[in-house]
Amino acid sequence: SALAAHPQVAQAAVLVREDRPGDQRLVGYVVPESGTALDVAAVRADLATALPEYMVPSAVVTLDALPLTAHGKLDRKALPAPEYGATSRGREPRSPREEILCGLFAEVLGVPAVGVDDSFFDLGGHSLLATRLAARIRSSLGVELTVRQVFSAPTVVALAKAIDTVHEGRSAVVRASHRPERLPLSFAQRGLWFLNRLEGPSPTYNMPVSLRLTGELDPAALRAALADVVGRHESLRTVFGEDAEGAYQRVLPVAEAVPVLEVVQTGADGLDAALTEAARYGFELTDEIPMRAWLFEVAEREHVLLVLVHHIAGDGWSMPLLAQDLTAAYTARSAGNAPAWSELPVQYADYTLWERDVLGSEDDPDSHISQQLAYWKRSLAELPEELPLPTDRPRSGAASSEGGSLPFEIPATLHARLVDLARECQASPFMVVQAALATLLSRLGAGDDIPLGTPIAGRTDDAVEDLIGFFINTLVLRTDLSGNPSFRDLIARVRETDLAAYAHQDVPFERLVEVLNPERVAGRHPLFQVRFVFNNIDQQAAAEAVEQLPGLTVAPEPVELGVAKFDLLFRFAERRDGVGA
């Protein structure tokens, strides 16, 4: 109706096409008014002002006449498939700001080009990428945008208008002009340091990357490359201590921070057990750097490299960065050169000092952290202490990290339907799957108040984009199933809750636990016991980040830690083919 009502359109038809399996798109067909040169991009832009985003056709095709069947009805099979080009789905940028935003959209989404009418979420964006986009906009344009604003204005043209209404961005992360002699821990590090002191060295927070290397390996070049990476990232050569003032971090000089590379001869039959044993290594954070490596010699031209990082020094986003830097360093060292990478703009210690400065003091009611804490106190009031899930054994009175994993697959056809539903509800696939998971837990007996923990990248400044460190934060997303809502209504509730949580993502989870002070029970995670991860950056991503090494073929090698930090962890990862399907 909206398309047919356009003043330049004589006739119109709209249908859903699936020219590529699983990729359904809304396509409009129009016959222009006589003597009219129709601008289809302008027509889509006009529709965007009258329709919700998901109802705007992905493409509008002009025809001389609508094809009809012998009975005078629209011949749908005769309608041509649209030709999607790099900019066919939207107009070219018309201002420097739109041009910058188009570039940022394309960079964050990993696509060749974006038109000003293209939707960030139609092109594969999700909540974590929206946070990254907001950070890139903050660095490039100096304005502060929330994830909610990205959801509300998902196209370049809409976001450019939204920028006119926002205030200037917060101060950027910069290299500290003066570092105090005693460096505090970041808020995130404080939580892991406490657990390390409580449990002692354990594999619970180890992060492994394991690669099978086939071909001529240069062990000396590999040792040098590992040392190069540790020298580049201060977080990988940091040790920790505690005094009367509390915990602190100490960055070791490069000469003192030589990473361990242990060479182990093993047959193919013993490899899995050897990998698991190494991955369960317990770091002593007070006097050894939080990274070490093993090289397993399986055959003369077959090796498996395991690089292990303690979570206090890195996060999931860090692992592909480590793989990329190790690739560059090994390539240079195998040719007899030092890596020629550019200096990082900041180090993790600079971020730690900036974090305390930008969050402010809790004694100041107008500070950033006070305002965000007030939100979380309201939103998590009377949170269930524990989800009453039907377990096959009582909760142990002692903490244990023993666990296992069970893989399963969601078919591509079902995934496509999830994406369509998300678009119809103006939500993200993350939100749809969250609603489904909460429904599942509720039907299993967990009640109608379902708190789920989920990671948020925490890299809210462009300066830390390429930095290895512990930036990730955890949000508690509370799902309300009371009143027997329809599933679409539940998605709407989830959307509102999630967008509000993203706007208050800076309060470190560890500090939130301290403030809310829930009853602590050994072996039970506070505030939530079920974690929900969607499109996380994991070992697979780290393995894929390794480019071809000189003389070697590289492939990911699975390693099983056998640990679990939560009662249940649901980890979803989208896998796409070479054309994005």
Side-chain angles (χ1 to χ4, degrees), residues 489-572:
D489 287 340
L490 181 59
I491 293 173
R493 294 183 186 182
V494 166
R495 182 182 186 274
E496 287 305 304
T497 298
D498 289 6
L499 292 178
Y502 298 148
H504 299 86
Q505 65 173 280
D506 297 319
V507 176
F509 177 77
E510 292 73 17
R511 182 58 187 144
L512 187 60
V513 173
E514 292 173 359
V515 171
L516 296 180
N517 193 27
E519 180 186 0
R520 304 302 292 264
V521 175
R524 185 179 76 188
H525 196 272
L527 302 186
F528 66 88
Q529 292 83 49
V530 179
R531 190 168 176 90
F532 169 46
V533 180
F534 194 89
N535 272 347
N536 64 302
I537 307 296
D538 56 9
Q539 177 177 323
Q540 178 72 22
E544 292 171 354
V546 177
E547 300 173 4
Q548 190 67 36
L549 294 172
L552 293 168
T553 300
V554 183
E557 181 72 21
V559 55
E560 179 60 55
L561 268 172
V563 301
K565 306 179 186 71
F566 315 95
D567 286 5
L568 290 172
L569 163 63
F570 288 86
R571 187 195 310 273
F572 296 87

Side-chain angles (χ1 to χ4, degrees), residues 184-484:
L185 271 60
S186 70
F187 286 107
Q189 286 178 325
R190 282 169 51 186
L192 285 191
W193 172 254
F194 171 78
L195 291 173
N196 182 264
R197 293 299 89 192
L198 182 66
E199 300 177 5
S202 80
T204 307
Y205 290 93
N206 284 355
M207 306 184 67
V209 173
S210 183
L211 305 172
R212 182 173 289 267
L213 310 174
T214 305
E216 294 297 329
L217 177 69
D218 184 342
L222 181 58
R223 287 184 186 276
L226 288 167
D228 289 330
V229 174
V230 169
R232 176 170 170 79
H233 296 274
E234 287 184 356
S235 59
L236 298 179
R237 48 187 171 93
T238 296
V239 294
F240 302 85
E242 199 162 6
D243 56 23
E245 298 181 50
Y248 61 89
Q249 55 180 314
R250 181 166 60 92
V251 180
L252 298 180
V254 175
E256 296 180 26
V258 180
V260 173
L261 176 61
E262 188 174 338
V263 180
V264 180
Q265 290 186 341
T266 180
D269 293 340
L271 177 62
D272 289 346
L275 278 171
T276 297
E277 181 183 359
R280 294 177 62 86
Y281 176 84
F283 285 97
E284 182 48 72
L285 299 176
T286 56
D287 56 18
E288 70 172 312
I289 64 172
M291 188 191 94
R292 62 182 292 132
W294 288 261
L295 184 64
F296 296 95
E297 295 183 343
V298 182
E300 184 178 352
R301 290 170 53 84
E302 196 81 18
H303 297 79
V304 173
L305 172 66
L306 173 67
V307 180
L308 196 65
V309 177
H310 192 282
H311 203 353
I312 203 168
D315 52 21
W317 203 283
S318 299
M319 305 315 280
L321 300 176
L322 187 152
Q324 291 167 7
D325 283 355
L326 185 60
T327 298
Y330 179 83
T331 301
R333 290 298 180 182
S334 62
N337 303 314
W341 44 43
S342 57
E343 185 180 8
L344 292 166
V346 297
Q347 291 287 348
Y348 191 77
D350 301 310
Y351 164 80
T352 300
L353 298 173
W354 169 87
E355 178 188 48
R356 292 174 175 270
D357 179 62
V358 76
L359 289 181
S361 170
E362 293 179 28
D363 296 330
D364 177 7
D366 296 326
S367 70
H368 197 62
I369 193 168
S370 292
Q371 293 177 356
Q372 293 206 11
L373 274 174
Y375 161 80
W376 286 110
K377 289 177 183 177
R378 293 191 306 271
S379 65
L380 299 183
E382 300 181 0
L383 192 73
E385 292 282 357
E386 179 178 323
L387 280 185
L389 293 173
T391 58
D392 62 352
R393 74 202 73 179
R395 187 177 299 281
S396 170
S400 169
S401 62
E402 294 301 311
S405 61
L406 177 69
F408 63 95
E409 182 176 344
I410 292 177
T413 52
L414 177 55
H415 174 266
R417 292 167 62 193
L418 293 173
V419 172
D420 288 343
L421 181 58
R423 186 178 295 117
E424 292 171 17
C425 296
Q426 298 186 15
S428 68
F430 171 95
M431 296 172 182
V432 175
V433 176
Q434 178 191 334
L437 175 57
T439 301
L440 169 66
L441 296 176
S442 179
R443 291 292 180 88
L444 289 175
D448 56 16
D449 187 357
I450 311 292
L452 300 172
T454 193
I456 192 83
R459 295 174 183 255
T460 56
D461 192 283
D462 194 39
V464 301
E465 187 79 7
D466 297 324
L467 188 62
I468 293 174
F470 187 13
F471 299 95
I472 198 168
N473 196 15
T474 295
L475 301 182
V476 182
L477 303 180
R478 194 174 186 177
T479 311
D480 175 17
L481 290 100
S482 63
N484 193 28

